[in-house]
Amino acid sequence: LQSHVCISSAASDVSKRQQTYRPVTLSSMVSPTATVSFKAQALTKVYAMGDVEVHALRGVDLELRAGEFVVMLGPSGSGKTTLLNILGGRDVPSGGQVWYHGEDLTRAGDARLTRLRREHVGFVFQFYNLIPSLTVRENLALVTDIAPHPMPIDEAIALVGLTARQHHFPSQLSGGEQQRVAIARAIVKRPEVLLCDEPTGALDYQTGKMVLEVIARINAELGTTAVVITHNAAIAAMAARVVYLADGPI
């Protein structure tokens, strides 16, 4: 599975025949002189499975600028999640380099990568990973207790539109509401970057649209760099920039 990257500056490439996600508020186009948050160069990732080597990434070059809203689009197995995990410090590359604000993360140890994840990067996954025995507020409090400069929990909950549900347990919430709690948990520590791995994968179209509108609002109002990976081309319509990953050349 080798990954190649092709970048589009707009989402107009997406077929108009598909349902498209169009949030009320989108981030403005980021200046080309904006600070580079992440830079990957000649990035590779090889997984050994017995005697077989699986190439998840092969020579990927990419820059993410502060304040961007980027969609990474590609089929399952194209390396999207692998790339996202390396950028966020959850995995390390087999080759190449990745920098965060000029710091070479390929030379960073476990403690530094942990600090990167704790202080600078928020993650949202397809499955919500909420603690079922804790309320919405209590799930967020787990993060604010260890984050150095968190926002007030009330503010994070209000940003995702769940003020009226803040004392509910996950089992009392819909799938879309649980995903919004997961987003609030990711942003309550004030991360510079929000990395979202198939955040609408388990949701229907309308609910997924609402979740994406929340991510777009956070990008626009807080200036948080947002990266959403998906195999759903309709989502690309909401992004200022689209990065295509595929198994073969594009």
Side-chain angles (χ1 to χ4, degrees):
L1 300 176
Q2 59 177 335
S3 293
H4 301 259
V5 176
C6 176
I7 297 174
S8 171
S9 61
S12 57
D13 309 2
V14 180
S15 170
K16 294 181 180 179
R17 292 190 300 271
Q18 296 173 304
Q19 284 185 309
T20 56
Y21 293 83
R22 299 188 182 278
V24 176
T25 305
L26 291 178
S27 61
S28 58
M29 294 294 290
V30 174
S31 168
T33 61
T35 302
V36 175
S37 293
F38 284 103
K39 180 178 180 179
Q41 188 171 32
L43 210 59
T44 64
K45 182 64 179 181
V46 181
Y47 295 100
M49 302 180 65
D51 296 331
V52 178
E53 290 188 343
V54 178
H55 293 261
L57 296 174
R58 193 188 296 268
V60 169
D61 297 321
L62 178 68
E63 285 189 356
L64 296 176
R65 296 187 177 274
E68 277 194 300
F69 196 121
V70 176
V71 164
M72 290 187 181
L73 188 65
S76 297
S78 61
K80 303 184 303 298
T81 295
T82 299
L83 178 56
L84 203 75
N85 285 339
I86 291 174
L87 292 176
R90 299 183 70 239
D91 200 355
V92 294
S94 302
Q97 290 177 286
V98 57
W99 293 270
Y100 175 71
H101 285 292
E103 178 185 0
D104 188 352
L105 295 182
T106 54
R107 297 178 180 273
D110 289 343
R112 174 65 186 112
L113 294 177
T114 297
R115 194 163 70 253
L116 170 75
R117 296 190 301 270
R118 179 180 295 174
E119 299 178 3
H120 302 288
V121 181
F123 292 95
V124 179
F125 303 99
Q126 178 175 345
F127 300 105
Y128 323 122
N129 299 318
L130 302 176
I131 296 179
S133 60
L134 299 181
T135 65
V136 171
R137 288 189 65 87
E138 291 167 344
N139 268 278
L140 269 63
L142 290 176
V143 177
T144 59
D145 286 346
I146 62 173
H149 306 291
M151 69 172 64
I153 291 178
D154 288 341
E155 182 180 338
I157 292 174
L159 273 170
V160 300
L162 288 176
T163 299
R165 309 282 275 170
Q166 61 183 304
H167 299 296
H168 288 66
F169 293 95
S171 61
Q172 298 171 313
L173 304 175
S174 68
E177 288 171 334
Q178 290 185 64
Q179 188 62 291
R180 283 188 279 160
V181 175
I183 294 171
R185 180 184 57 194
I187 65 167
V188 74
K189 61 183 176 183
R190 301 185 191 272
E192 180 189 340
V193 182
L194 186 63
L195 302 179
C196 307
D197 188 352
E198 297 280 6
T200 64
L203 305 174
D204 61 67
Y205 171 77
Q206 290 297 333
T207 305
K209 180 179 177 182
M210 183 180 301
V211 167
L212 291 170
E213 287 174 352
V214 168
I215 296 172
R217 179 184 178 189
I218 290 163
N219 168 252
E221 295 186 10
L222 302 183
T224 306
T225 304
V227 181
V228 176
I229 70 172
T230 183
H231 62 271
N232 184 351
I235 293 176
M238 71 183 295
R241 186 159 67 107
V242 181
V243 176
Y244 296 90
L245 289 90
D247 295 340
I250 298 177

